[in-house]
Amino acid sequence: MTDLFDFQQRRRNFAVLGNPVAHSKSPQIHEAFARQCGISLSYEAIALDPGIFEQGVRNLRAGGIVGANVTVPFKQAAWHLADELTDRAQVAQAVNTLSFVADDIIRGDNTDGVGLMRDLQRNLGFSCAQTRVLVIGAGGATRGIFQPLIDSDPDEIVIANRTPSKAHELLAAFDSPRRAAACHLEDLSVSTFDLVINATAASLTGEVPKLPDGIFAPDALAYDLAYADQPTIFLRWALDAGAARAVDGLGMLVEQAAESFWVWHQHRPQTAPVISTLRSGSH
Ligand code: ATR
């Protein structure tokens, strides 16, 4: 692996790469972290043309950017592009954090899983140990969070998907998780869960995955990886369907950013004030 020292000495220009990306809160999150830690940096949102992601990244690096977050739809392309991968990025087969650690090395990392777990455990006081966890969706978002969820020792973890074959494929790609299963959304009717995570893209089209009634255990937490200024349609449905709490992915967004910040600067910023500022909309 390349020496991080060289990376940290260089001028700090960063970006989030996506399409669309103008709505991204990452610039204000990283700027807030930098103010807290007394670090000088620039961080901008850059929309790249999907057809030229790799060339776009190489041009930005040539222009002096030393690190980038990657969001929809480029996380898998970033995984392919990286010369070196952390273990967690390798497992996720997706990269949300790029570090240009030397002239010819691009290092790829994935901080989404740790971001979710920190939001659940520290911010929401939810421990997955001895619980029943349901993850809805079997795309890239699920891939990014599945290993840390397995590692958090739930009694059972189920991936349910509209297309069940994709849920089975995803499960098979991970190291034989104990008490893990994959199924179709409709096959959930006999189970209840303490944590239900929406990792589908359904919110983007204003839809709720077609789930049976009665999937929430008493005190269940519904968690949507998506976030919006108003409660998402999934969270509204979940409260109607019996969830005790319903939380969007804003906390995860800030926590994954904090982990990327650590990767780049070796400083751990405080996340609570940033989450609170974003929640209040006073940014
Ligand atoms: P991402 O990388 O954001 O996870 P993706 O790989 O395209 O995006 O995966 C999207 C996920 O959302 C899939 O699990 C998809 O279900 P299918 O595999 O059946 O396509 C799920 N999804 C999207 N729209 C949905 C909807 N309206 N209801 C249920 N699931 C939906």
Side-chain angles (χ1 to χ4, degrees):
M1 296 287 257
T2 315
D3 188 356
L4 264 180
F5 182 76
D6 169 59
F7 171 71
Q8 286 164 356
Q9 296 312 301
R10 283 185 283 155
R11 188 158 172 259
R12 295 184 168 102
N13 293 326
F14 297 87
V16 57
L17 314 177
N19 197 328
V21 79
H23 65 286
S24 172
K25 296 185 191 296
S26 292
Q28 67 194 91
I29 294 171
H30 279 268
E31 283 160 12
F33 289 164
R35 280 194 299 277
Q36 268 185 36
C37 299
I39 288 172
S40 169
L41 57 75
S42 75
Y43 189 114
E44 52 184 321
I46 297 176
L48 289 181
D49 197 335
I52 55 145
F53 175 72
E54 179 170 345
Q55 191 54 48
V57 171
R58 295 196 190 284
N59 291 347
L60 289 167
R61 184 176 62 168
I65 284 198
V66 297
N69 285 126
V70 180
T71 188
V72 175
F74 297 128
K75 289 185 186 180
Q76 221 179 350
W79 180 75
H80 283 292
L81 176 65
D83 303 302
E84 294 176 355
L85 291 164
T86 60
D87 289 347
R88 57 194 180 185
Q90 182 63 47
V91 167
Q93 296 187 12
V95 159
N96 79 333
T97 305
L98 292 170
S99 303
F100 305 133
V101 291
D103 286 349
D104 53 357
I105 298 289
I106 299 176
R107 183 179 298 165
D109 199 349
N110 191 314
T111 65
D112 285 331
V114 79
L116 171 67
M117 299 317 294
R118 292 211 177 116
D119 194 35
L120 287 173
Q121 291 163 355
R122 294 187 192 169
N123 303 332
L124 302 170
F126 186 94
S127 166
C128 293
Q130 281 109 49
T131 62
R132 291 168 56 81
V133 175
L134 170 63
V135 183
I136 307 160
T142 298
R143 215 171 249 287
I145 61 171
F146 196 58
Q147 189 65 48
L149 282 170
I150 293 169
D151 294 343
S152 68
D153 203 26
D155 270 351
E156 180 165 3
I157 182 162
V158 176
I159 305 174
N161 198 42
R162 182 176 62 179
T163 311
S165 59
K166 281 175 65 181
H168 287 286
E169 274 166 35
L170 195 150
L171 190 62
F174 285 80
D175 272 345
S176 57
R178 288 178 304 128
R179 297 185 294 271
C183 68
H184 190 277
L185 296 177
E186 288 167 8
D187 297 337
L188 290 167
S189 50
V190 291
S191 310
T192 62
F193 297 90
D194 305 293
L195 173 63
V196 177
I197 298 174
N198 180 24
T200 72
S203 299
L204 298 177
T205 49
E207 292 172 275
V208 176
K210 288 192 176 52
L211 292 159
D213 290 338
I215 60 166
F216 292 103
D219 293 331
L221 171 63
Y223 194 103
D224 197 340
L225 297 191
Y227 62 88
D229 292 338
Q230 302 298 319
T232 66
I233 185 167
F234 171 76
L235 295 180
R236 282 183 274 138
W237 169 83
L239 287 173
D240 281 347
R245 281 195 293 172
V247 179
D248 73 11
L250 184 70
M252 172 179 166
L253 175 77
V254 175
E255 296 294 346
Q256 64 77 31
E259 184 71 6
S260 296
F261 197 86
W262 165 256
V263 168
W264 289 328
H265 309 289
Q266 303 288 289
H267 281 269
R268 288 217 180 272
Q270 289 182 14
T271 51
V274 178
I275 294 172
S276 154
T277 301
L278 291 173
R279 286 253 181 253
S280 68
S282 56
H283 27 90

